[in-house]
Amino acid sequence: MVQSLEQLTMDGSVPDEVYRLMRDAIQKAGDQRGRLFEPGQEAHFQAIAAALALKAAGYSIQKVSA
């Protein structure tokens, strides 16, 4: 049975591909510290980088009612 990314995330399980995409995006954003953004803004740019990496890989991010 195939589950949606949203359901897997709610269940506490993140597929390896998604984890690697987010990890790599966060690492790349961290490498830009001091060049593209001010120190202390890491979390903001890491979140943006992860969201854009998922979108570029063909995933969609949608808010679902809890």
Side-chain angles (χ1 to χ4, degrees), residues 13-63:
S13 175
V14 178
D16 287 343
E17 178 186 12
V18 172
Y19 170 78
R20 284 191 299 275
L21 286 166
M22 293 176 66
R23 180 197 61 203
D24 293 347
I26 289 169
Q27 177 63 45
K28 288 177 185 175
D31 291 345
Q32 299 300 317
R33 185 180 320 128
R35 288 184 272 173
L36 295 180
F37 57 91
E38 297 293 320
Q41 297 295 314
E42 291 87 354
H44 172 71
F45 283 90
Q46 289 171 350
I48 291 171
L52 291 175
L54 289 170
K55 184 176 179 181
Y59 289 96
S60 66
I61 300 171
Q62 298 176 351
K63 182 177 180 179

